[in-house]
Amino acid sequence: MPAQHTRRAVLSSSLALAGTGLLAAYAGRGAAADRSSALSHPAPSGPAAPEGYVSPDGPEVAAAERRRGAGPLREVTLTATPSRLDLGGGRTVSSWAYGGALPGQEVRVTAGDTLALTLANHLPQTTSLHGHGLSLRNDMDGVPGLTQRAIEAGADFTYRFTVPRPGTHWLHPHSGVQLDRGLYAPLIVEDPREPLAYDREWVVVLDDWVDGVDGSTPDAVLRELTGGHGHSGHAMPAAPAAEEGDGGPPRMLRGATSELLGGNAGNVDYPYYLVNGRTAEDPSVYTARPGDRIRLRIINAGGDTAFRVALGGHRMTVTHTDGFPVRHATTDTLLLGMGERYDVLVTAEDGVFPLTALAEGKKASAMAVLRTGGGAAPGASVRPKELDGERVTADRLSPDASVALPAREPDRTVRFRLTGSMRAYDWAFDRKPYAPGQRHPVKAGERVRLEFHNQTAMWHPIHLHGHTFSLGGGARGARKDTAIVLPRHTLTVDFDADNPGLWMLHCHNLYHAEAGMMTVLGYLR
Ligand code: C2O
Ligand code: CU
């Protein structure tokens, strides 16, 4: 495909600019004006990006990729396209999705494979594709303005990298609030030597839904939350209001509280909550046989909603969080912040059972159904008692011995204050809204400790790209890439700096992130 090669050639020349700061400058305030011409015109000049840092396409990144090897080539194409989506129960909405499906078609590969993942952009805007949870080469991380240029409307781009390790991950754009449309898909990396024994697998994707309902769009929601100020640091400016009518009814949520989340549960009042693209009124049904051992891979793809999940009539054995194995622990229910994943094993009973995902603190829920026998389907509002049963939290999980970080004192500690308020909607790290030129330095080979001091009255699911930290710090914490920081609490995590590049660190509340709660860890050269 010649077009693809052209785009790739342009991309590599644009990446050469990263070290000189031109790419970062392009992605800043100039982006809004220039987004339609990003690939056909040279980047405008602007303030230089910080010097002395590894460049996303630098030799350090290539060397790290060589150490990962290169297994068999797997080629997959995802097409991001405007789509009419059926959410069940006669509800259809106009939105954007991968291949017109919700969730997008699952991408399934084996650890060690070389994945050539082409994103074809049929959207009316630029986009990007990020593999959430992957420790991949930095220039394939999919962050416009930092690791690549945004993919133009009508263009495509191939993400080519070695898939590092097994796990339950997912794909989504890293462009504005596009994730809160239907643009998400599971990315399942199988283990060539899978140690778990199970009969079947059920991938469960949770989502909160507003796009296309009574004229609402995520861009309009962001404008409402921020009072119109938004922020300009991201590569993806909000679409002009003219494209989307008046933006629908008010969607701001006030007074949603959750004990589990330590206070304010969320900011957005979604009309629907979905499991695998369906509302509870017309749920997706998973069929198995009584006695089957089923591996559930649960992914929270929501924008502003934590989900409390339980399978009626069953206990769950937690085997992984964020793709990394843990010492098996049983639980009745789990709470997932946005971006978090849990793998659990269940042994199916005989009958029909609700898999309920409570929109935590929002007085609503989503549901799918497990059917192994006869009987009527559970009603949409059924609330399995397991939701109020025992709940294992991530900090009570221990890593499987194969993935525990070796005990080591940190070489460097980076402290962040989580700041901002619902009223001002000025979420940030250390009161500084995101700018692509921000760098928090780390050095290859270091054990790095991150401390998050949450000074806000709200919880935040904090996500680090390209690495998996140990929760709580040290050797005893479960390995994760996304972790909930409760209001007024401090979270400490440790990671080994073994993947050079420029890596996003952000809140996975999409609206908090867009308001400014994002920053960059940069490897020093
Ligand atoms: Cu789900 Cu910056 O990522
Ligand atoms: Cu947040």
Side-chain angles (χ1 to χ4, degrees):
M1 229 194 263
Q4 178 177 333
H5 290 115
T6 309
R7 295 300 175 189
R8 283 191 61 81
V10 174
L11 179 87
S12 17
S13 66
S14 78
L15 280 174
L17 297 174
T20 70
L22 290 174
L23 176 60
Y26 156 73
R29 267 167 222 92
D34 282 90
R35 68 192 165 108
S36 60
S37 58
L39 288 173
S40 47
H41 293 267
S45 59
E51 288 188 28
Y53 289 90
V54 165
S55 164
D57 67 343
E60 302 89 344
V61 173
E65 182 73 346
R66 274 195 299 276
R67 286 194 292 276
R68 292 185 186 104
L73 179 66
R74 296 288 317 281
E75 294 179 279
V76 179
T77 297
L78 287 184
T79 304
T81 179
S83 313
R84 192 92 196 144
L85 301 173
D86 178 3
L87 307 181
R91 296 185 180 90
T92 58
V93 290
S94 287
S95 185
W96 300 346
Y98 294 124
L102 190 70
Q105 155 219 326
E106 160 188 309
V107 175
R108 191 171 277 264
V109 292
T110 301
D113 285 354
T114 305
L115 180 56
L117 180 54
T118 298
L119 190 284
N121 183 8
H122 294 187
L123 303 174
Q125 302 181 348
T126 62
T127 191
S128 54
L129 189 69
H130 169 62
H132 179 122
L134 293 179
S135 300
L136 45 43
R137 56 178 301 157
N138 187 229
D139 52 351
M140 296 294 131
D141 195 41
V143 181
L146 188 70
T147 66
Q148 70 169 102
R149 290 204 183 193
I151 307 167
E152 289 298 301
D156 58 43
F157 178 78
T158 299
Y159 295 86
R160 185 184 293 267
F161 55 93
T162 301
V163 180
R165 24 162 318 115
T168 300
H169 307 303
W170 59 301
L171 299 163
H172 65 74
H174 223 282
S175 299
V177 288
Q178 287 180 2
L179 164 57
D180 223 11
R181 301 193 186 240
L183 295 168
Y184 56 80
L187 171 58
I188 309 300
V189 184
E190 290 185 346
D191 191 333
R193 291 175 299 275
E194 176 58 58
L196 290 181
Y198 48 90
D199 302 302
R200 42 178 97 228
E201 240 187 59
W202 186 10
V203 179
V204 174
V205 187
L206 314 172
D207 191 20
D208 44 16
W209 192 274
V210 68
D211 192 35
V213 182
D214 298 331
S216 287
T217 64
D219 296 289
V221 171
L222 179 65
R223 279 197 300 273
E224 183 189 353
L225 292 171
T226 59
H229 65 71
H231 93 104
S232 58
H234 205 282
M236 187 65 245
E243 281 176 19
E244 50 197 34
D246 62 3
R251 299 292 186 188
M252 195 189 292
L253 183 61
R254 288 195 182 80
T257 57
S258 156
E259 209 179 298
L260 272 50
L261 294 169
N264 190 340
N267 310 144
V268 182
D269 192 4
Y270 288 90
Y272 304 131
Y273 295 92
L274 310 177
V275 180
N276 290 344
R278 314 288 291 186
T279 62
E281 282 73 32
D282 188 5
S284 79
V285 177
Y286 185 83
T287 310
R289 283 179 314 220
D292 277 349
R293 251 159 88 85
I294 308 172
R295 178 183 192 162
L296 279 73
R297 299 179 181 262
I298 311 171
I299 302 167
N300 183 350
D304 175 78
T305 306
F307 286 99
R308 198 197 311 182
V309 180
L311 178 60
H314 295 76
R315 273 174 74 78
M316 307 184 283
T317 301
V318 183
T319 63
H320 296 73
T321 180
D322 297 356
F324 274 65
V326 296
R327 273 199 245 153
H328 292 188
T330 57
T331 192
D332 291 312
T333 186
L334 287 167
L335 182 72
L336 287 85
M338 296 77 80
E340 285 192 286
R341 291 90 67 210
Y342 281 94
D343 290 23
V344 303
L345 287 174
V346 300
T347 303
E349 300 291 337
D350 190 352
V352 190
F353 307 95
L355 177 73
T356 298
L358 203 66
E360 183 64 29
K362 293 186 170 181
K363 301 190 168 71
S365 60
M367 183 184 74
V369 170
L370 168 64
R371 176 180 287 279
T372 63
S381 59
V382 68
R383 186 182 161 116
K385 66 173 186 340
E386 287 81 2
L387 286 170
D388 301 302
E390 188 194 353
R391 179 173 65 97
V392 165
T393 49
D395 59 337
R396 282 171 49 210
L397 294 170
S398 305
D400 184 81
S402 62
V403 298
L405 274 192
R408 178 172 165 186
E409 283 306 307
D411 301 300
R412 178 193 298 269
T413 299
V414 194
R415 295 186 177 85
F416 298 92
R417 285 178 306 130
L418 313 190
T419 58
S421 71
M422 168 78 188
R423 185 178 297 269
Y425 223 78
D426 54 351
W427 309 108
F429 292 113
D430 300 304
R431 305 209 167 282
K432 295 191 216 42
Y434 175 64
Q438 290 170 346
R439 299 286 179 272
H440 296 275
V442 302
K443 255 203 205 91
E446 287 178 337
R447 167 68 55 90
V448 180
R449 171 161 293 178
L450 305 178
E451 278 181 20
F452 301 99
H453 301 271
N454 186 355
Q455 301 187 337
T456 77
M458 174 132 208
W459 70 285
H460 304 276
I462 299 297
H463 173 51
L464 173 63
H465 286 207
H467 303 78
T468 299
F469 46 69
S470 84
L471 196 63
R476 276 198 291 265
R479 300 286 301 277
K480 282 181 74 59
D481 55 57
T482 311
I484 292 174
V485 194
L486 293 173
R488 314 285 171 206
H489 281 63
T490 294
L491 175 73
T492 300
V493 303
D494 287 357
F495 70 92
D496 283 331
D498 56 4
N499 194 13
L502 305 175
W503 298 105
M504 293 298 293
L505 172 70
H506 62 90
C507 179
H508 221 285
N509 180 308
L510 190 56
Y511 298 93
H512 293 190
E514 277 308 290
M517 199 179 248
M518 305 195 285
T519 191
V520 179
L521 296 190
Y523 279 62
L524 293 162
R525 258 207 309 266

